[in-house]
Coordinates of all heavy atoms in Angstrom, one line a residue:
M1 N -46.5 37.1 60.7 CA -47.5 37.0 61.8 C -47.9 35.5 61.9 O -47.9 34.7 60.9 CB -48.7 37.8 61.3 CG -49.8 38.1 62.5 SD -51.4 37.9 62.0 CE -51.7 39.4 61.1
A2 N -48.2 35.1 63.1 CA -48.5 33.7 63.4 C -49.9 33.4 62.6 O -50.8 34.1 62.6 CB -48.7 33.5 64.8
E3 N -50.0 32.2 62.2 CA -51.2 31.7 61.4 C -52.0 31.0 62.3 O -51.6 30.3 63.2 CB -50.8 30.7 60.3 CG -49.9 31.4 59.3 CD -50.5 32.1 58.2 OE1 -51.7 31.9 57.9 OE2 -49.9 33.1 57.7
R4 N -53.4 31.1 62.1 CA -54.4 30.3 62.9 C -54.1 28.8 62.7 O -53.9 28.5 61.5 CB -55.8 30.6 62.5 CG -56.4 31.8 63.1 CD -57.8 32.1 62.6 NE -58.7 30.9 63.0 CZ -59.8 30.7 62.3 NH1 -60.2 31.3 61.3 NH2 -60.6 29.6 62.8
L5 N -54.2 28.0 63.8 CA -54.0 26.6 63.6 C -55.3 26.0 63.0 O -56.4 26.6 63.3 CB -53.7 25.9 65.0 CG -52.4 26.3 65.7 CD1 -52.3 25.5 67.0 CD2 -51.2 26.1 64.8
T6 N -55.2 25.0 62.2 CA -56.4 24.2 61.8 C -57.0 23.5 62.9 O -56.3 23.4 64.0 CB -55.9 23.2 60.8 OG1 -55.0 22.2 61.4 CG2 -55.3 23.8 59.5
T7 N -58.2 23.1 62.8 CA -58.9 22.4 63.8 C -58.2 21.2 64.3 O -58.1 20.9 65.5 CB -60.3 21.9 63.4 OG1 -61.0 23.1 63.0 CG2 -61.1 21.3 64.5
E8 N -57.6 20.5 63.4 CA -56.9 19.3 63.6 C -55.5 19.5 64.4 O -55.3 18.8 65.4 CB -56.5 18.6 62.3 CG -56.2 17.2 62.4 CD -57.2 16.3 63.3 OE1 -58.5 16.5 63.1 OE2 -56.7 15.7 64.3
A9 N -54.9 20.6 64.0 CA -53.6 20.9 64.6 C -53.8 21.4 66.0 O -53.0 21.1 67.0 CB -52.9 22.0 63.8
R10 N -54.9 22.1 66.1 CA -55.2 22.7 67.5 C -55.6 21.5 68.5 O -55.1 21.5 69.6 CB -56.5 23.6 67.4 CG -56.5 24.6 68.6 CD -57.6 25.6 68.3 NE -58.8 24.9 67.9 CZ -59.7 25.4 66.9 NH1 -59.4 26.4 66.3 NH2 -60.8 24.7 66.6
K11 N -56.4 20.5 68.0 CA -56.7 19.4 68.7 C -55.5 18.6 69.1 O -55.4 18.2 70.3 CB -57.6 18.5 68.0 CG -59.1 18.7 68.2 CD -60.0 17.6 67.8 CE -61.4 18.0 67.7 NZ -62.0 17.7 66.5
Q12 N -54.6 18.5 68.2 CA -53.4 17.6 68.4 C -52.5 18.3 69.5 O -52.0 17.7 70.4 CB -52.6 17.4 67.2 CG -51.6 16.2 67.3 CD -51.0 16.0 66.0 OE1 -51.6 16.2 65.0 NE2 -49.7 15.6 66.0
A13 N -52.4 19.6 69.4 CA -51.6 20.4 70.4 C -52.2 20.3 71.7 O -51.5 20.2 72.7 CB -51.4 21.8 69.9
L14 N -53.5 20.5 71.8 CA -54.1 20.5 73.1 C -53.9 19.1 73.8 O -53.9 19.1 75.1 CB -55.6 20.7 73.0 CG -56.0 22.3 72.7 CD1 -57.5 22.4 72.6 CD2 -55.5 23.1 73.9
G15 N -53.8 18.0 73.1 CA -53.6 16.8 73.6 C -52.4 16.7 74.5 O -52.2 15.9 75.4
G16 N -51.4 17.5 74.2 CA -50.1 17.5 74.9 C -50.0 18.6 75.9 O -48.9 18.6 76.6
I17 N -51.1 19.3 76.2 CA -51.1 20.4 77.3 C -52.0 20.1 78.3 O -53.3 20.4 78.0 CB -51.1 21.7 76.7 CG1 -50.5 21.8 75.3 CG2 -50.4 22.8 77.6 CD1 -50.8 23.2 74.7
P18 N -51.8 19.5 79.3 CA -52.8 19.0 80.3 C -53.8 20.2 80.8 O -53.3 21.3 81.1 CB -52.1 18.6 81.6 CG -50.8 18.2 81.0 CD -50.4 19.0 79.9
D19 N -55.1 19.9 80.7 CA -56.2 20.7 81.2 C -56.6 21.9 80.4 O -57.4 22.7 80.8 CB -56.0 21.1 82.6 CG -55.6 19.9 83.6 OD1 -56.3 18.9 83.4 OD2 -54.8 20.0 84.5
W20 N -56.0 22.1 79.3 CA -56.3 23.2 78.3 C -57.4 22.7 77.4 O -57.3 21.6 76.8 CB -55.1 23.8 77.5 CG -54.2 24.6 78.3 CD1 -53.2 24.2 79.2 CD2 -54.3 26.0 78.6 NE1 -52.6 25.2 79.8 CE2 -53.2 26.5 79.5 CE3 -55.1 27.1 78.0 CZ2 -53.0 27.7 79.8 CZ3 -54.9 28.4 78.5 CH2 -53.9 28.7 79.3
T21 N -58.4 23.4 77.3 CA -59.5 23.0 76.4 C -60.0 24.1 75.5 O -59.6 25.3 75.6 CB -60.8 22.6 77.2 OG1 -61.2 23.7 78.1 CG2 -60.5 21.4 78.1
E22 N -60.8 23.8 74.5 CA -61.3 24.7 73.6 C -62.3 25.6 74.3 O -63.2 25.1 75.0 CB -62.0 24.1 72.4 CG -61.2 23.0 71.7 CD -60.9 23.2 70.3 OE1 -61.2 24.3 69.8 OE2 -60.5 22.2 69.7
V23 N -62.4 26.8 74.0 CA -63.4 27.8 74.6 C -64.6 27.7 73.7 O -64.5 27.9 72.4 CB -62.9 29.2 74.8 CG1 -64.0 30.1 75.2 CG2 -61.7 29.3 75.7
S24 N -65.8 27.5 74.3 CA -67.0 27.5 73.4 C -67.3 28.7 72.9 O -67.3 29.7 73.6 CB -68.1 26.7 74.1 OG -68.7 27.5 75.1
G25 N -67.8 28.8 71.6 CA -68.3 30.0 71.1 C -67.2 31.0 70.5 O -67.7 32.0 70.0
R26 N -65.9 30.6 70.6 CA -65.0 31.4 69.9 C -63.7 30.6 69.8 O -63.5 29.5 70.3 CB -64.6 32.6 70.8 CG -64.1 32.4 72.1 CD -63.7 33.7 72.9 NE -62.6 34.3 72.4 CZ -61.9 35.2 73.0 NH1 -62.2 35.6 74.2 NH2 -60.8 35.7 72.5
D27 N -62.8 31.1 68.9 CA -61.6 30.4 68.5 C -60.5 30.8 69.6 O -59.8 31.8 69.4 CB -61.1 30.9 67.1 CG -60.0 29.9 66.7 OD1 -59.3 29.4 67.4 OD2 -59.8 29.8 65.3
A28 N -60.5 30.0 70.7 CA -59.6 30.3 71.8 C -59.4 29.0 72.6 O -60.3 28.1 72.5 CB -60.1 31.4 72.6
I29 N -58.4 29.0 73.4 CA -58.2 27.9 74.5 C -58.2 28.5 75.8 O -57.9 29.7 76.1 CB -56.9 27.1 74.2 CG1 -55.8 28.0 74.2 CG2 -57.0 26.3 72.8 CD1 -54.4 27.3 74.1
G30 N -58.6 27.6 76.8 CA -58.7 28.1 78.1 C -58.4 27.0 79.2 O -58.4 25.8 79.0
K31 N -58.0 27.6 80.4 CA -57.7 26.7 81.5 C -58.1 27.5 82.8 O -57.8 28.8 82.8 CB -56.3 26.3 81.5 CG -56.0 25.4 82.8 CD -54.6 24.8 82.6 CE -54.3 24.1 84.0 NZ -53.0 23.3 83.9
T32 N -58.7 26.9 83.8 CA -58.8 27.5 85.2 C -57.8 26.9 86.0 O -57.8 25.7 86.3 CB -60.2 27.3 85.6 OG1 -61.1 27.9 84.6 CG2 -60.4 27.8 87.0
F33 N -56.9 27.8 86.5 CA -55.9 27.3 87.5 C -56.5 27.6 88.9 O -56.9 28.7 89.1 CB -54.7 28.1 87.3 CG -53.9 27.8 86.0 CD1 -54.3 28.5 84.9 CD2 -52.8 26.8 86.0 CE1 -53.5 28.3 83.7 CE2 -52.2 26.6 84.9 CZ -52.4 27.3 83.7
V34 N -56.3 26.7 89.8 CA -56.7 26.9 91.2 C -55.5 26.6 92.1 O -54.9 25.6 92.0 CB -57.9 25.9 91.6 CG1 -58.2 26.2 93.1 CG2 -59.1 26.1 90.8
F35 N -55.2 27.7 92.9 CA -54.0 27.6 93.7 C -54.4 27.5 95.2 O -55.6 27.4 95.5 CB -53.1 28.9 93.5 CG -52.6 29.0 92.1 CD1 -53.2 29.7 91.1 CD2 -51.4 28.2 91.7 CE1 -52.8 29.6 89.8 CE2 -50.9 28.2 90.4 CZ -51.6 28.9 89.5
K36 N -53.3 27.5 96.1 CA -53.6 27.4 97.6 C -54.4 28.6 98.1 O -55.2 28.5 98.9 CB -52.3 27.1 98.2 CG -52.4 26.6 99.7 CD -51.1 26.6 100.4 CE -50.5 27.9 100.5 NZ -49.2 28.0 101.2
D37 N -53.9 29.7 97.7 CA -54.5 30.9 98.2 C -54.2 32.1 97.2 O -53.7 31.9 96.2 CB -53.8 31.3 99.6 CG -52.2 31.2 99.6 OD1 -51.7 31.5 98.5 OD2 -51.7 31.1 100.6
F38 N -54.5 33.3 97.6 CA -54.3 34.4 96.6 C -52.9 34.7 96.4 O -52.5 35.1 95.2 CB -55.0 35.7 97.3 CG -54.7 36.9 96.4 CD1 -55.4 37.1 95.3 CD2 -53.8 37.8 96.8 CE1 -55.2 38.2 94.5 CE2 -53.5 39.0 96.0 CZ -54.2 39.2 94.9
N39 N -52.1 34.5 97.4 CA -50.6 34.8 97.2 C -50.0 33.9 96.1 O -49.3 34.4 95.2 CB -49.9 34.5 98.5 CG -48.6 35.2 98.6 OD1 -48.4 36.3 98.2 ND2 -47.6 34.5 99.1
E40 N -50.4 32.6 96.1 CA -49.8 31.7 95.1 C -50.4 32.0 93.7 O -49.8 32.0 92.7 CB -50.3 30.3 95.4 CG -49.7 29.8 96.7 CD -48.2 29.6 96.8 OE1 -47.6 29.8 95.6 OE2 -47.7 29.4 97.8
A41 N -51.7 32.5 93.8 CA -52.4 32.8 92.4 C -51.7 34.1 91.9 O -51.4 34.1 90.6 CB -53.8 33.0 92.6
F42 N -51.5 35.0 92.6 CA -50.9 36.2 92.1 C -49.4 36.0 91.8 O -49.0 36.6 90.8 CB -51.1 37.4 93.1 CG -51.0 38.7 92.5 CD1 -52.1 39.2 91.7 CD2 -49.9 39.5 92.5 CE1 -52.0 40.4 91.0 CE2 -49.8 40.8 91.9 CZ -50.8 41.2 91.1
G43 N -48.7 35.2 92.6 CA -47.3 34.8 92.1 C -47.3 34.2 90.8 O -46.4 34.6 90.0
F44 N -48.2 33.3 90.5 CA -48.3 32.6 89.1 C -48.6 33.7 88.1 O -47.9 33.7 87.1 CB -49.5 31.6 89.2 CG -49.9 31.2 87.8 CD1 -49.2 30.5 87.0 CD2 -51.1 31.8 87.3 CE1 -49.7 30.0 85.7 CE2 -51.5 31.4 86.0 CZ -50.7 30.6 85.3
M45 N -49.4 34.6 88.4 CA -49.8 35.8 87.4 C -48.6 36.6 87.1 O -48.3 37.0 86.0 CB -51.0 36.6 87.9 CG -52.2 35.8 88.0 SD -53.6 36.7 88.5 CE -54.2 37.6 87.0
T46 N -47.8 36.9 88.2 CA -46.7 37.7 88.1 C -45.6 37.1 87.1 O -45.0 37.6 86.2 CB -46.0 38.0 89.3 OG1 -47.0 38.7 90.2 CG2 -44.9 39.0 89.3
R47 N -45.4 35.8 87.4 CA -44.4 35.1 86.5 C -44.8 34.9 85.2 O -44.1 35.1 84.2 CB -44.2 33.7 87.2 CG -43.4 33.7 88.5 CD -43.1 32.4 89.1 NE -42.8 32.6 90.5 CZ -43.6 32.2 91.6 NH1 -44.8 31.8 91.3 NH2 -43.1 32.5 92.8
A48 N -46.1 34.6 85.0 CA -46.7 34.5 83.7 C -46.7 35.7 82.9 O -46.4 35.8 81.7 CB -48.1 33.8 83.8
A49 N -46.9 36.8 83.6 CA -47.0 38.2 83.0 C -45.5 38.5 82.4 O -45.4 39.0 81.3 CB -47.4 39.2 84.0
L50 N -44.4 38.1 83.1 CA -43.1 38.5 82.6 C -42.8 37.6 81.4 O -42.2 38.1 80.4 CB -42.1 38.1 83.7 CG -42.2 38.9 85.0 CD1 -41.1 38.4 85.9 CD2 -41.8 40.4 84.5
V51 N -43.3 36.3 81.3 CA -43.2 35.5 80.1 C -44.0 36.1 79.0 O -43.5 36.2 77.8 CB -43.5 34.1 80.4 CG1 -43.6 33.2 79.1 CG2 -42.5 33.4 81.4
A52 N -45.2 36.4 79.2 CA -46.2 37.0 78.2 C -45.5 38.3 77.6 O -45.6 38.5 76.4 CB -47.5 37.3 78.8
E53 N -44.9 39.1 78.4 CA -44.4 40.3 77.9 C -43.2 40.1 77.0 O -43.1 40.7 76.0 CB -44.0 41.2 79.1 CG -43.6 42.7 78.8 CD -44.6 43.5 78.0 OE1 -45.7 43.0 77.8 OE2 -44.1 44.5 77.4
K54 N -42.4 39.2 77.4 CA -41.2 38.8 76.7 C -41.6 38.2 75.4 O -41.0 38.5 74.3 CB -40.4 37.7 77.5 CG -38.9 37.8 77.2 CD -38.2 36.8 78.1 CE -37.1 37.6 78.9 NZ -36.5 36.7 79.8
M55 N -42.8 37.5 75.3 CA -43.2 36.9 74.0 C -44.0 37.9 73.3 O -44.3 37.7 72.2 CB -44.2 35.7 74.4 CG -43.5 34.5 74.8 SD -44.9 33.2 75.3 CE -45.5 32.9 73.7
D56 N -44.4 39.1 73.8 CA -45.3 40.0 73.3 C -46.5 39.3 72.8 O -47.1 39.4 71.7 CB -44.6 40.7 72.0 CG -45.5 41.9 71.6 OD1 -46.2 42.4 72.4 OD2 -45.5 42.2 70.4
H57 N -47.0 38.3 73.8 CA -48.2 37.7 73.5 C -49.0 37.6 74.9 O -48.4 37.1 75.8 CB -48.0 36.3 73.1 CG -49.1 35.6 72.5 ND1 -49.9 36.1 71.3 CD2 -49.9 34.6 72.8 CE1 -50.9 35.4 71.1 NE2 -51.0 34.4 72.0
H58 N -50.1 38.2 75.0 CA -50.7 38.5 76.3 C -52.1 37.7 76.6 O -52.9 37.5 75.7 CB -51.1 40.0 76.4 CG -49.7 40.8 76.3 ND1 -49.3 41.2 74.9 CD2 -48.8 41.1 77.1 CE1 -48.2 41.9 75.1 NE2 -47.8 41.8 76.5
P59 N -52.1 37.2 77.7 CA -53.4 36.5 78.1 C -54.6 37.3 78.3 O -54.5 38.5 78.7 CB -53.0 35.7 79.4 CG -51.9 36.6 80.0 CD -51.3 37.3 78.9
E60 N -55.8 36.7 78.2 CA -57.0 37.3 78.8 C -57.1 36.4 80.0 O -57.2 35.2 80.0 CB -58.2 37.1 77.9 CG -58.1 37.7 76.5 CD -59.2 37.3 75.5 OE1 -60.3 37.0 76.0 OE2 -58.9 37.1 74.4
W61 N -57.3 37.2 81.1 CA -57.4 36.4 82.4 C -58.2 37.1 83.5 O -58.2 38.4 83.4 CB -56.1 35.9 82.9 CG -55.0 37.0 83.1 CD1 -55.1 38.3 83.0 CD2 -53.7 36.7 83.4 NE1 -53.8 38.8 83.2 CE2 -52.9 37.8 83.5 CE3 -52.9 35.5 83.6 CZ2 -51.6 38.0 83.7 CZ3 -51.5 35.6 83.9 CH2 -50.9 36.8 83.9
R62 N -58.7 36.3 84.5 CA -59.6 36.8 85.5 C -59.2 36.1 86.8 O -59.1 35.0 86.8 CB -61.0 36.6 85.2 CG -62.0 37.0 86.2 CD -63.3 36.9 85.6 NE -64.4 37.5 86.5 CZ -65.0 36.7 87.4 NH1 -64.9 35.4 87.4 NH2 -66.0 37.2 88.2
N63 N -58.9 36.9 87.8 CA -58.5 36.3 89.1 C -59.5 36.5 90.2 O -60.0 37.7 90.3 CB -57.1 36.9 89.5 CG -56.8 36.7 91.0 OD1 -56.6 37.6 91.7 ND2 -56.9 35.5 91.5
V64 N -60.0 35.5 90.8 CA -60.9 35.7 92.0 C -60.2 34.9 93.1 O -60.2 33.6 93.0 CB -62.3 35.2 91.7 CG1 -63.1 35.3 93.0 CG2 -62.9 35.9 90.6
Y65 N -59.8 35.5 94.2 CA -58.9 34.9 95.2 C -58.0 34.0 94.7 O -56.9 34.3 94.3 CB -60.1 34.2 96.2 CG -59.4 33.6 97.3 CD1 -58.4 34.1 98.1 CD2 -60.0 32.4 97.8 CE1 -57.7 33.4 99.1 CE2 -59.4 31.6 98.9 CZ -58.3 32.1 99.5 OH -57.7 31.5 100.5
K66 N -58.1 32.7 94.8 CA -57.1 31.7 94.5 C -57.2 31.1 93.2 O -56.5 30.1 92.7 CB -57.0 30.6 95.6 CG -58.2 29.7 95.6 CD -58.0 28.7 96.7 CE -59.2 27.8 96.9 NZ -59.0 26.7 97.8
T67 N -58.2 31.6 92.3 CA -58.6 31.1 91.0 C -58.2 32.0 89.9 O -58.4 33.3 90.1 CB -60.1 30.7 90.9 OG1 -60.3 29.8 91.9 CG2 -60.4 30.3 89.6
V68 N -57.5 31.5 88.9 CA -57.1 32.3 87.8 C -57.6 31.6 86.5 O -57.3 30.4 86.1 CB -55.6 32.4 87.6 CG1 -55.3 33.5 86.4 CG2 -55.0 33.1 88.9
E69 N -58.6 32.3 85.8 CA -59.2 31.8 84.6 C -58.5 32.5 83.5 O -58.4 33.6 83.4 CB -60.8 32.2 84.5 CG -61.6 31.5 85.5 CD -63.0 32.1 85.4 OE1 -63.3 32.8 84.4 OE2 -63.8 32.1 86.4
V70 N -57.9 31.6 82.6 CA -57.1 32.2 81.5 C -57.7 31.8 80.1 O -58.1 30.6 79.9 CB -55.7 31.5 81.6 CG1 -54.9 32.1 80.4 CG2 -55.1 31.8 82.9
V71 N -57.7 32.7 79.3 CA -58.2 32.4 77.9 C -57.1 32.9 77.0 O -56.5 34.1 77.1 CB -59.6 33.1 77.5 CG1 -59.9 33.0 76.1 CG2 -60.7 32.5 78.3
L72 N -56.7 32.1 76.1 CA -55.6 32.5 75.1 C -56.2 32.5 73.6 O -56.7 31.5 73.2 CB -54.4 31.5 75.2 CG -53.8 31.5 76.6 CD1 -52.6 30.5 76.5 CD2 -53.2 32.9 77.0
S73 N -55.9 33.5 72.9 CA -56.1 33.6 71.5 C -55.3 34.7 70.9 O -54.9 35.6 71.6 CB -57.6 34.1 71.4 OG -58.0 34.2 70.0
T74 N -54.9 34.6 69.6 CA -54.1 35.5 69.0 C -54.9 36.5 68.3 O -55.6 36.2 67.3 CB -53.2 34.9 68.0 OG1 -52.3 33.9 68.8 CG2 -52.2 35.9 67.4
H75 N -55.1 37.7 68.9 CA -56.0 38.7 68.5 C -55.8 39.1 67.0 O -56.8 39.2 66.1 CB -56.1 39.9 69.3 CG -56.4 39.5 70.8 ND1 -55.6 39.8 71.9 CD2 -57.2 38.7 71.3 CE1 -56.0 39.3 72.9 NE2 -57.0 38.5 72.7
D76 N -54.6 39.3 66.7 CA -54.1 39.7 65.3 C -54.5 38.6 64.3 O -54.7 39.0 63.2 CB -52.6 39.9 65.3 CG -52.1 41.0 66.2 OD1 -52.8 41.8 66.7 OD2 -50.9 41.1 66.5
A77 N -54.6 37.4 64.6 CA -54.9 36.3 63.7 C -56.4 35.9 63.8 O -56.9 35.0 63.0 CB -54.0 35.1 64.0
G78 N -57.1 36.3 64.9 CA -58.5 35.9 65.0 C -58.7 34.5 65.4 O -59.7 33.9 65.2
G79 N -57.7 34.0 66.1 CA -57.9 32.6 66.6 C -56.6 32.1 67.3 O -55.6 32.8 67.5
V80 N -56.6 30.8 67.4 CA -55.5 30.1 68.2 C -54.4 29.9 67.1 O -54.6 29.4 66.2 CB -55.9 28.7 68.8 CG1 -54.8 28.0 69.4 CG2 -57.0 29.0 69.8
T81 N -53.2 30.3 67.6 CA -51.9 30.1 66.9 C -50.9 29.4 67.8 O -51.2 29.2 68.9 CB -51.3 31.3 66.4 OG1 -50.8 32.2 67.5 CG2 -52.3 32.3 65.7
A82 N -49.7 29.1 67.2 CA -48.7 28.5 67.9 C -48.2 29.2 69.0 O -47.7 28.8 70.0 CB -47.5 28.2 66.9
L83 N -48.3 30.5 69.0 CA -48.0 31.5 70.2 C -48.9 31.1 71.4 O -48.5 31.1 72.5 CB -48.3 32.9 69.8 CG -47.3 33.5 68.8 CD1 -47.7 34.9 68.4 CD2 -45.9 33.6 69.5
D84 N -50.2 30.8 71.2 CA -51.1 30.4 72.3 C -50.6 29.2 72.9 O -50.7 29.0 74.1 CB -52.5 30.4 71.8 CG -53.0 31.8 71.2 OD1 -53.0 32.7 72.0 OD2 -53.3 31.8 70.1
I85 N -50.3 28.2 72.0 CA -49.9 26.9 72.5 C -48.6 27.0 73.3 O -48.4 26.5 74.4 CB -49.5 25.9 71.2 CG1 -50.9 25.8 70.5 CG2 -49.1 24.6 71.8 CD1 -52.0 25.2 71.2
E86 N -47.7 27.8 72.8 CA -46.4 28.1 73.5 C -46.6 28.7 75.0 O -46.1 28.3 75.9 CB -45.6 29.0 72.7 CG -44.1 29.2 73.2 CD -43.3 30.2 72.4 OE1 -43.7 30.3 71.2 OE2 -42.4 30.8 72.9
L87 N -47.6 29.7 75.0 CA -47.9 30.3 76.2 C -48.6 29.4 77.2 O -48.3 29.4 78.5 CB -48.7 31.6 76.0 CG -48.9 32.5 77.3 CD1 -47.6 32.9 78.0 CD2 -49.7 33.8 76.8
A88 N -49.5 28.7 76.7 CA -50.2 27.6 77.5 C -49.2 26.7 78.1 O -49.3 26.4 79.4 CB -51.2 26.9 76.7
R89 N -48.2 26.2 77.4 CA -47.2 25.3 78.0 C -46.4 26.0 79.0 O -46.1 25.4 80.0 CB -46.2 24.9 76.8 CG -46.7 23.9 76.0 CD -45.6 22.8 75.5 NE -46.2 21.9 74.6 CZ -46.4 22.1 73.2 NH1 -46.0 23.2 72.7 NH2 -47.0 21.2 72.5
A90 N -46.0 27.2 78.8 CA -45.3 28.0 79.7 C -46.0 28.2 81.0 O -45.5 28.1 82.1 CB -44.8 29.3 79.1
M91 N -47.3 28.5 80.9 CA -48.2 28.7 82.1 C -48.3 27.4 82.9 O -48.3 27.4 84.2 CB -49.5 29.2 81.7 CG -49.6 30.6 81.2 SD -51.2 31.2 80.9 CE -51.0 33.0 81.1
N92 N -48.4 26.2 82.3 CA -48.5 25.0 82.9 C -47.2 24.7 83.8 O -47.1 24.3 84.9 CB -48.7 23.8 82.0 CG -50.1 23.5 81.7 OD1 -51.0 24.4 82.0 ND2 -50.5 22.4 81.2
A93 N -46.1 25.0 83.1 CA -44.7 24.8 83.8 C -44.6 25.8 84.9 O -44.1 25.4 86.0 CB -43.5 25.1 82.7
I94 N -45.0 27.0 84.8 CA -45.0 28.0 85.9 C -45.9 27.6 87.0 O -45.4 27.7 88.2 CB -45.4 29.4 85.4 CG1 -44.4 29.9 84.4 CG2 -45.6 30.3 86.6 CD1 -44.8 31.2 83.7
A95 N -47.1 27.1 86.8 CA -47.9 26.7 87.8 C -47.4 25.5 88.5 O -47.6 25.3 89.8 CB -49.3 26.2 87.2
K96 N -46.6 24.6 87.9 CA -45.9 23.4 88.5 C -45.0 23.8 89.6 O -44.7 23.2 90.5 CB -45.3 22.6 87.5 CG -46.1 21.4 87.0 CD -45.3 20.4 86.3 CE -46.1 19.3 85.6 NZ -45.4 18.5 84.7
L97 N -44.3 25.0 89.3 CA -43.3 25.6 90.2 C -43.9 26.2 91.4 O -43.2 26.5 92.4 CB -42.4 26.6 89.5 CG -41.7 26.1 88.2 CD1 -40.9 27.3 87.5 CD2 -40.6 25.0 88.6
T98 N -45.2 26.5 91.3 CA -45.9 27.2 92.3 C -46.4 26.2 93.3 O -47.4 25.4 93.1 CB -47.0 28.0 91.8 OG1 -46.5 28.8 90.7 CG2 -47.7 28.9 92.9
P99 N -45.9 26.2 94.6 CA -46.4 25.2 95.5 C -47.8 25.5 95.8 O -48.2 26.6 95.8 CB -45.5 25.4 96.8 CG -44.9 26.8 96.6 CD -44.9 27.1 95.1
G100 N -48.6 24.5 95.9 CA -50.0 24.8 96.0 C -50.8 23.6 96.4 O -51.8 23.5 96.8
Ligands
H2B1 C1 -48.4 45.3 68.7 C2 -48.3 44.0 69.5 O1 -47.3 43.4 69.1 C3 -49.6 43.2 69.3 O2 -50.8 44.0 69.6 C4 -49.5 41.9 70.1 C5 -49.6 42.2 71.6 N1 -50.1 41.0 72.4 C6 -51.0 40.1 71.8 N2 -51.5 39.2 72.5 C7 -52.4 38.4 72.0 N3 -52.9 37.5 72.8 N4 -52.8 38.5 70.7 C8 -52.3 39.4 69.9 O3 -52.6 39.4 68.7 C9 -51.3 40.2 70.4 N5 -50.7 41.1 69.7

């Protein structure tokens, strides 16, 4: 099972993933993606869902029109692990492919 990252390791990893920040009040990372419209937002979610399912690592997320709020945490480990960092990176890459 993936191990929770230390505060230092988490900080360092976040430094390399644009716009992901620590969620206040819990051991998790988050980012709010804003797209051009609902179609782009849902397209992003569809692509990200396929990656998440392949990783067997799933986001907490909320969509309102063109905005997708994402929170990542490894529930089995009770905090942020390398899996969350990997999924955050993948989501940034997917969002880049989405015209918006
Ligand atoms: C049984 C299954 O592998 C686990 O429940 C997986 C599924 N997806 C998961 N997703 C996340 N974010 N954290 C987990 O601990 C987790 N565990």
Side-chain angles (χ1 to χ4, degrees):
M1 198 222 285
E3 302 276 332
R4 277 180 63 200
L5 297 180
T6 62
T7 306
E8 200 45 51
R10 202 174 49 220
K11 263 194 197 131
Q12 195 173 328
L14 282 180
I17 327 172
D19 306 323
W20 285 86
T21 57
E22 313 234 16
V23 173
S24 70
R26 59 178 289 199
D27 191 336
I29 57 174
K31 175 170 175 174
T32 298
F33 291 88
V34 182
F35 297 94
K36 190 187 71 179
D37 54 24
F38 177 75
N39 200 44
E40 300 294 350
F42 202 74
F44 163 78
M45 293 178 84
T46 304
R47 291 178 196 107
L50 295 175
V51 171
E53 184 61 10
K54 208 173 239 177
M55 289 176 64
D56 192 27
H57 195 67
H58 303 90
E60 301 172 32
W61 52 8
R62 174 170 188 264
N63 163 238
V64 178
Y65 178 40
K66 61 181 184 173
T67 298
V68 182
E69 292 171 22
V70 183
V71 171
L72 300 180
S73 177
T74 303
H75 309 128
D76 298 343
V80 176
T81 68
L83 287 171
D84 300 301
I85 300 301
E86 190 183 333
L87 186 53
R89 279 215 182 86
M91 285 182 157
N92 274 14
I94 291 165
K96 264 195 189 165
L97 300 174
T98 309

